[in-house]
């Protein structure tokens, strides 16, 4: 990793996390929690195995990631964020907010994985009916998704758990789901553009932001 060689906290931070793929590795570990190499790689389509290995080594050397022995003799080592690594959550939140307006202009061939939506969901969705019993909304599947729990005025996200019984399941195209979570389109319009729900729809509407009175979203949502 090359250094900028500047006595500046921004430059020093970029010395550690400024290389290509590095912050996306942090994103995966923030979403998934402690993970094996292969689990991290699945969330980074396009990264070469040797490059991911090097980036993890660099993060470990800089105290951002720790590599723990496999829980069993035949298992793979586990990577997890250190306290310093977890502190990057706020950095990624600001990048998420800064980058959100550019999502509708992403190229049509852009790859989408449902679990990536868990970070914006954590910040964009609210529990609008806190007096009601807790509700669980599953976005995606056990293989690629997340569970969002609305309870007592708060929302929490975590990777899908096989022993969890969601109140409603949600799947659909990435751009449409992003627009739905941002409040750019109402649920009714999302349903006509490929979003599918299975279960109690009111659990989903409980957390969605209010859609605008007039819809002016370009392209496929007109």
């Amino acid at each position: 990793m090359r250094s900028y060689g500047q006595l500046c906290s921004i430059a020093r931070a970029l010395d550690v996390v400024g290389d290509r793929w590095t912050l996306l590795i942090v994103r995966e570990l923030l979403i998934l929690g402690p993970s094996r190499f292969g689990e991290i790689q699945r969330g980074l389509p396009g990264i070469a195995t040797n490059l991911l290995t090097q980036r993890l080594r660099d993060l470990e050397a800089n105290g951002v990631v720790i590599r723990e022995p496999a829980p069993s003799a035949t298992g793979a080592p586990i990577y997890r964020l250190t306290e310093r690594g977890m502190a990057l959550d706020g950095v990624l939140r600001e990048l998420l907010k800064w980058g959100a307006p550019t999502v509708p202009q992403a190229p049509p061939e852009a790859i989408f994985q449902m679990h990536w939506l868990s970070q914006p969901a954590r910040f964009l969705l609210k529990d609008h009916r806190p007096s009601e019993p807790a509700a669980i909304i599953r976005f995606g599947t056990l293989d690629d998704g997340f569970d969002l729990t609305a309870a007592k005025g708060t929302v929490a996200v975590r990777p899908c758990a096989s022993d969890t019984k969601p109140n409603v399941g949600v799947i659909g195209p990435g751009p449409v789901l992003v627009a739905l979570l941002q409040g750019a389109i109402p649920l009714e319009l999302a349903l006509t553009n490929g979003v599918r729900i299975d279960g109690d729809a009111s659990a989903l509407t409980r957390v969605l932001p209010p859609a605008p009175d007039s819809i002016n979203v370009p392209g496929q949502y007109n």
Side-chain angles (χ1 to χ4, degrees):
M1 180 180 302
R2 297 181 61 184
S3 171
Y4 287 101
Q6 297 181 10
L7 189 61
C8 163
S9 58
I10 296 174
R12 291 292 295 150
L14 291 175
D15 284 347
V16 177
V17 298
D19 282 338
R20 189 166 185 254
W21 294 106
T22 298
L23 281 177
L24 295 185
I25 294 170
V26 174
R27 177 198 68 190
E28 290 302 298
L29 290 171
L30 282 169
I31 292 173
L32 302 174
S35 305
R36 296 177 177 84
F37 186 96
E39 294 168 332
I40 300 170
Q41 192 172 33
R42 277 197 295 273
L44 301 170
I47 193 171
T49 298
N50 62 337
L51 183 56
L52 177 55
T53 298
Q54 185 58 57
R55 292 290 186 266
L56 286 168
R57 285 174 179 168
D58 291 340
L59 288 170
E60 187 177 3
N62 283 283
V64 178
V65 165
I66 188 169
R67 181 175 181 267
E68 298 177 333
S72 65
T74 58
I78 299 293
Y79 295 89
R80 67 170 177 84
L81 293 171
T82 62
E83 183 177 350
R84 184 162 173 77
M86 292 294 294
L88 286 165
D89 183 47
V91 175
L92 290 187
R93 177 175 183 175
E94 292 305 313
L95 283 173
L96 186 156
K97 290 162 57 178
W98 189 83
T102 71
V103 171
Q105 287 77 50
E109 67 274 13
I111 299 168
F112 172 72
Q113 293 188 9
M114 185 69 80
H115 74 278
W116 295 339
L117 202 58
S118 65
Q119 292 293 85
R122 181 157 61 103
F123 304 126
L124 293 172
L125 303 186
K126 310 292 182 185
D127 181 9
H128 300 293
R129 302 198 294 269
S131 62
E132 295 184 5
I136 300 174
I137 302 103
R138 173 162 294 169
F139 291 85
T141 65
L142 287 172
D143 291 332
D144 177 33
F146 62 97
D147 290 337
L148 182 143
T149 301
K152 298 181 179 179
T154 66
V155 298
V157 299
R158 67 169 190 168
C160 293
S162 58
D163 59 349
T164 297
K165 294 183 178 179
N167 297 85
V168 62
V170 183
I171 60 173
V176 186
L177 287 170
V178 169
L180 179 65
L181 266 60
Q182 289 178 337
I185 61 173
L187 178 58
E188 293 77 10
L189 189 53
L191 292 173
T192 65
N193 281 273
V195 169
R196 289 164 47 196
I197 58 175
D198 179 19
D200 181 7
S202 69
L204 177 60
T205 58
R206 172 177 175 170
V207 300
L208 291 176
D213 293 332
S214 59
I215 305 298
N216 184 24
V217 182
Q220 60 187 340
Y221 308 123
N222 289 335

